[in-house]
Amino acid sequence: MQNVHAEIKAIEQLLAAKKGLAAIKALNAVQKAHPPMQRGVPEWRLQEMYAEASRLTLDPVQLVNALYDAACFDRDLRRQREHFSAHLFAAHYAFNLGPYGLAKRHLNYSVLYEEQETLPARPLLPHTRLRIGYLAPNFCDGSAARFYEAALTTLPADEFDVTLYAMEDKEDAFTAQLQQRYAYKCLQHETLQGAAEVIRDDEIDILFDLGGHTEGGFTLMVMGYHPAPVQLCGIGWFDTTGLPAVDGLLTDTLLDPPNSTYLEWYTEHLCYLPGTSLCFTPNAAMQAMHDELLATWPQHEPRPDRRGTGELWTLGGEQPEPGEGVVFGCFQNFLKINQQVLDCWSLILRLVPSARLVIQDTVASEARVARMRNLCAAALIPSHRVQVRPGRPEYLQDYAEIDVMLDTFPYPGGAMTATALYLGRPVVSMRGGHHSARFGAAIQQAAGHEEWLAMDEAGYISRAVSLAAQADQLPQLQRQLLAEVPQSPLMNSQLYGQRLALLYSELWSAKRAFGNIEKAANPN
């Protein structure tokens, strides 16, 4: 038993040192050498370590499988739900699942709530103002916050009372701004049932879960007690939850066309907003970068030098000349970059011989950078034409190096796509066949640039090559984006708030009149 503990400790050290391949090899050795009953560590913990190693090695299939196995082996219900939520989040990275595979896994989540006891139904008491509660893992600035800020801040104060419920005490400057405007409660020290009782006691009319299966799915565990008469999800989550206690999912006809066959997979009633259900609000740093780009953008040729300031472009070749060729970019979590995406990028670079590519992660991990370089080489992307970089806090400055952004698929960018457009960068995206795969496309359409959307890989490649062929016009196009995107429906927060307020009122009226929300929020 002591040997096993020593081996597990060594694996934990390998993971801490970001040595994913070595950790997987050591985990395989432990499983082979020691029967389960002799390991002295639960099997779910081994699978957690496999998942950690898979993130380092950029292996989404093994990541998804490890988290699923962790959920199956775990016998603690709360932790089992947490593992399964992590599995569902990771499943979007896996290209091989497809929409049906994703839907089936989400529907399986409901099995974990078969014996769930809910709180007593609250009477539909009339309030002077409709009470809206927003439930989130935390209310710190981040990708999700850039889309839910408008939902919090634009509701008419004379019609709605807003309360924010955070599952943890993590706070930042954005949290402080919200705390000055709204009632704010941290539920970290409550049990899940206790957290639900706090919300019920506040007589919240409509509870909106902004987390879904992110951060372990603890917001959904609270929703499972059904503390509010109407319970919604969306914005921070991009799929069905699979949880029957969630009444509705916020969407629009861009994300979920009404005649789509996959709509039967949702466990929620689809609550349609006119136009777009997504509203992007840049934070102060994004606004400052936007204003700087708009003020300093070159009026005439030549195009500026956009080479990276970190590592050299090449791993042994010559540095490209200033202004040479179009620079494509992708600033995404590397786990979103699958073989199909890399193959498309490889072909784009072959069709545009002067072009270069910057791939930048969202996390600062040299191990992941090294792994991505190997994947690029396997996809026959020339090393002297690609720069692979770790994420960094000052990433907004790096947008100035890029001419055209290339989105990932089937798991597209959300905040990346919106930020790129806001900062004047065209984005080539794929319009997928279900909600989570259409997120980037919905953002592009709301920004008014459906012409950069593709239906398949051939169209994706064609649009990237076409933009590269317009190299001389790109500065003018980018300046046009800087001016137009802030005026587009994607960023019209006041109209968004009006439409959301009307939706909330319709949902509440339908609940009071019919006992459910299915008579409200039909697509327009």
Side-chain angles (χ1 to χ4, degrees), residues 287-304:
Q287 293 174 36
M289 179 57 61
H290 172 273
D291 294 346
E292 179 182 338
L293 288 171
L294 192 59
T296 61
W297 202 253
Q299 300 294 321
H300 307 288
E301 297 297 328
R303 292 163 61 236

Side-chain angles (χ1 to χ4, degrees), residues 1-9 34 38-39:
M1 188 71 72
Q2 284 185 330
N3 289 339
V4 179
H5 283 298
E7 292 175 49
I8 295 298
K9 185 68 174 178
H34 306 286
Q38 298 179 11
R39 291 175 193 160

Side-chain angles (χ1 to χ4, degrees), residues 301-316:
E301 297 297 328
R303 292 163 61 236
D305 180 7
R306 284 173 292 277
R307 290 176 295 171
T309 56
E311 62 186 277
L312 291 178
W313 276 94
T314 68
L315 300 177

